[in-house]
């Protein structure tokens, strides 16, 4: 009944990890975006950018080309249960160790 962003697993990771999240059934298919950023806020990669059906989702993130360090992943989605200008936002940290 609500959005959820889980902690990636494994964490710390090398070189890949899974990011899981839930899209609730709110009567519409929301536009969902999942992005990865470095610790300075620079966008590294867009993992998801599409309208999605409700349900439990899992995305693999492969960081073999990245340096060790802390990275941020951010899930945003339309939230039709609120005002049309409002979105769901959740952010978590993950650590890449090589």
């Amino acid at each position: 009944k609500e959005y959820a962003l889980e902690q990636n697993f494994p964490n710390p990771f090398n070189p890949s990890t899974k990011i899981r999240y839930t899209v609730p059934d709110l009567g519409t298919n929301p536009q969902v975006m999942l992005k990865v950023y470095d610790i300075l806020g620079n966008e590294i990669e867009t993992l998801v950018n599409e309208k999605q059906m409700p349900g439990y989702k899992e995305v693999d993130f492969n960081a073999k080309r990245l340096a060790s360090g802390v990275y941020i992943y951010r899930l945003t989605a339309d939230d039709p249960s609120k005002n049309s200008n409002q979105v769901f936002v959740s952010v978590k940290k993950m650590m890449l160790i090589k």
Side-chain angles (χ1 to χ4, degrees), residues 6-11 13 17-19 73 93-95:
E6 297 181 13
Q7 185 64 51
N8 66 300
F9 182 82
N11 190 34
F13 67 99
T17 188
K18 294 185 182 303
I19 299 172
Y73 57 102
K93 292 190 294 188
M94 59 184 164
M95 184 177 293

Side-chain angles (χ1 to χ4, degrees), residues 30-60:
Q31 181 72 28
V32 176
M33 198 172 320
L34 179 61
K35 292 188 175 191
V36 177
Y37 300 87
D38 66 17
I39 198 67
L40 298 175
N42 300 309
E43 184 178 324
I44 300 298
E45 189 171 340
T46 299
L47 302 174
V48 176
N49 185 10
E50 63 187 18
K51 287 192 177 273
Q52 291 195 326
M53 302 279 291
Y56 186 73
K57 314 294 181 180
E58 182 176 282
V59 177
D60 290 319

Side-chain angles (χ1 to χ4, degrees), residues 24-91:
D25 187 357
L26 299 173
T28 63
N29 294 343
Q31 181 72 28
V32 176
M33 198 172 320
L34 179 61
K35 292 188 175 191
V36 177
Y37 300 87
D38 66 17
I39 198 67
L40 298 175
N42 300 309
E43 184 178 324
I44 300 298
E45 189 171 340
T46 299
L47 302 174
V48 176
N49 185 10
E50 63 187 18
K51 287 192 177 273
Q52 291 195 326
M53 302 279 291
Y56 186 73
K57 314 294 181 180
E58 182 176 282
V59 177
D60 290 319
F61 173 58
N62 191 318
K64 65 182 176 187
R65 63 175 175 60
L66 299 175
S68 295
V70 175
Y71 292 87
I72 307 295
Y73 57 102
R74 180 177 187 238
L75 179 71
T76 59
D78 297 338
D79 192 344
S81 68
K82 298 181 180 176
N83 294 335
S84 60
N85 294 339
Q86 300 237 352
V87 295
F88 169 83
V89 178
S90 185
V91 178

